[in-house]
Amino acid sequence: MKLPEVLQRGKVSRSALLRWLDQPEIGFPQPVKIGRGIFWIDTQVDAWFSRQAESSAAATAAAQAQALAQAATAAARAQEVTPSRRGPGRPRKVAAAAQGGAA
């Protein structure tokens, strides 16, 4: 396939495609030169776009799972009972007044 078809299939700009070609770590298929023409093998291009879509979906799912885990942790922390500043076993004035009135 020629350049315009590659751009159309990937819905990308020419500059983005050229940037991908300049960065081998991205792994975009290199074109094949036949005579004066430059072509890409359609199965390689389609496979690359499919892998990108899958990795993007996996990254999105992982981010959503992390956000849910953080929300669950925050909800659990919000429900934790914090100890009183008065401390356990310290009598309140109301209880002492009730005992004094009964005597």
Side-chain angles (χ1 to χ4, degrees), residues 86 90-100:
R86 296 178 56 98
R90 188 170 177 189
R92 294 182 176 251
K93 291 181 181 179
V94 176
Q99 289 176 354

Side-chain angles (χ1 to χ4, degrees), residues 70-89:
Q70 288 175 347
T73 303
R77 286 183 182 159
Q79 290 181 355
E80 289 179 0
V81 177
T82 57
S84 172
R85 291 182 137 197
R86 296 178 56 98

Side-chain angles (χ1 to χ4, degrees), residues 19 24 34 49 53 56-58 73 83 102:
R19 195 171 46 248
I34 301 175
F49 283 128
S56 176
T73 303

Side-chain angles (χ1 to χ4, degrees), residues 6-93:
V6 174
L7 298 177
Q8 184 180 9
R9 281 197 187 182
K11 296 180 179 70
V12 296
S13 66
R14 178 185 167 109
S15 61
L17 181 65
L18 294 176
R19 195 171 46 248
W20 295 344
L21 291 171
D22 286 342
Q23 298 175 355
E25 65 273 2
I26 291 178
F28 191 78
Q30 293 295 313
V32 177
K33 197 168 191 177
I34 301 175
R36 295 180 66 194
I38 297 176
F39 302 91
W40 280 265
I41 299 172
D42 59 349
T43 55
Q44 290 179 352
V45 172
D46 291 340
W48 189 84
F49 283 128
S50 295
R51 284 192 308 272
Q52 297 306 307
E54 289 171 4
S55 67
S56 176
T60 301
Q64 288 175 344
Q66 183 179 8
L68 287 174
Q70 288 175 347
T73 303
R77 286 183 182 159
Q79 290 181 355
E80 289 179 0
V81 177
T82 57
S84 172
R85 291 182 137 197
R86 296 178 56 98
R90 188 170 177 189
R92 294 182 176 251
K93 291 181 181 179

